[in-house]
């Protein structure tokens, strides 16, 4: 439809980097020398991904893929990791050009990718451009591709986000008081020693 074409053109008019974040500062954060030293690793590459125009959610439970119309874009999706950050890149199959990308700091994808309530193959991404934002539908025709995409996000989150939270909790947990209180005694069992050795009678 003409509205889908207009919406797609509006999306394409955004800066080439479409970051799913709520602040402009995070979008324009300068790259440090340390960032340049971190290797970028491709975790997933699928050739049949789709983007949809998303209407407002019909209920508080969330978005439904059944409410979406025809896809407004088809191409490849690539998930790359750099340090603890993930980036979901949507790439045109014919030219290899970047259509859009979603940057996920610390791999905490649940803040940026919302699962629809009626399918395991589709998500909603929040696209931010300065003070404006839009929601786009994203997904796969093949259920196996969707499964691999979801497992990739979950594995990265479990490795870096959840593990770091557990470590932080252990560090901040109060130390137990193991000191002896007044009147308390401690006994030590030494292998091979069953009791105190008595001096034989008549030994000086």
């Amino acid at each position: 439809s003409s509205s889908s074409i207009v919406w797609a053109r509006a999306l394409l008019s955004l800066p080439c980097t479409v970051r799913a974040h709520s602040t402009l500062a995070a979008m324009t954060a300068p790259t440090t020398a340390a960032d340049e030293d971190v290797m970028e690793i491709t975790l997933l590459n699928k050739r049949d991904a789709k983007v949809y125009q998303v209407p407002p959610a019909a209920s508080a439970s969330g978005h439904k893929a059944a409410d979406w119309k025809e896809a407004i874009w088809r191409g490849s999706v690539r998930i790359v990791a750099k340090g603890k950050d993930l980036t979901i890149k949507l790439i045109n199959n014919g030219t290899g050009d970047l259509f859009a990308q979603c940057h996920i700091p610390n791999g905490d994808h649940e803040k940026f990718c919302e699962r629809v309530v009626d399918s395991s193959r589709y998500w909603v991404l929040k696209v931010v451009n300065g003070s404006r934002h839009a929601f786009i539908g994203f997904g796969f025709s093949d259920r196996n591709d969707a499964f691999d995409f979801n497992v990739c996000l979950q594995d990265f989150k479990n490795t870096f986000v959840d593990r770091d939270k557990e470590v932080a909790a252990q560090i901040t947990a109060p130390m137990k008081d193991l000191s002896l209180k007044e009147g308390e005694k401690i006994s030590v069992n030494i292998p091979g020693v069953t009791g105190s050795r008595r001096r034989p009678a008549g030994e000086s």
Side-chain angles (χ1 to χ4, degrees):
S1 66
S2 60
S3 61
S4 295
I5 295 174
V6 170
W7 190 91
R9 288 176 178 172
L11 177 61
L12 287 170
S13 68
L14 295 174
C16 193
T17 299
V18 180
R19 300 184 182 276
H21 202 280
S22 58
T23 64
L24 181 60
M27 297 172 60
T28 58
T31 301
T32 64
D35 293 333
E36 294 294 341
D37 293 337
V38 179
M39 180 181 298
E40 186 175 88
I41 303 173
T42 298
L43 303 179
L44 182 77
N45 195 17
K46 298 291 183 180
R47 290 188 58 82
D48 188 19
K50 298 179 288 186
V51 169
Y52 297 83
Q53 183 177 1
V54 176
S59 67
S61 61
H63 293 272
K64 293 183 178 181
D67 296 334
W68 303 350
K69 298 180 180 180
E70 292 296 320
I72 60 173
W73 178 87
R74 297 186 74 134
S76 296
V77 60
R78 183 179 303 159
I79 299 180
V80 298
K82 190 172 184 180
K84 295 183 179 181
D85 296 341
L86 279 182
T87 304
I88 301 173
K89 297 185 177 184
L90 304 178
I91 301 170
N92 290 306
N93 283 332
T95 63
D97 294 336
L98 184 67
F99 173 71
Q101 70 179 16
C102 173
H103 181 64
I104 305 176
N106 295 319
D108 199 0
H109 65 275
E110 294 175 351
K111 297 179 180 179
F112 308 92
C113 307
E114 178 187 350
R115 294 291 293 266
V116 298
V117 297
D118 61 340
S119 175
S120 62
R121 294 184 289 122
Y122 298 97
W123 293 259
V124 175
L125 304 182
K126 185 179 181 180
V127 178
V128 176
N129 180 25
S131 60
R132 298 176 301 168
H133 70 269
F135 295 95
I136 63 172
F138 165 79
F140 302 91
S141 298
D142 188 276
R143 194 173 302 277
N144 291 328
D145 288 346
F147 177 82
D148 292 344
F149 177 84
N150 186 59
V151 168
C152 183
L153 296 179
Q154 290 288 351
D155 284 351
F156 193 88
K157 179 177 182 291
N158 293 340
T159 300
F160 291 101
V161 181
D162 295 341
R163 183 188 64 181
D164 287 353
K165 288 181 179 179
E166 292 177 1
V167 172
Q170 293 175 0
I171 294 175
T172 57
M175 296 292 291
K176 293 183 178 180
D177 184 5
L178 301 178
S179 61
L180 293 176
K181 303 297 187 294
E182 184 177 356
E184 287 186 337
K185 296 181 179 180
I186 184 170
S187 60
V188 178
N189 294 323
I190 303 175
V193 178
T194 59
S196 61
R197 181 173 177 268
R198 294 186 177 183
R199 180 179 299 177
E203 182 177 333
S204 58

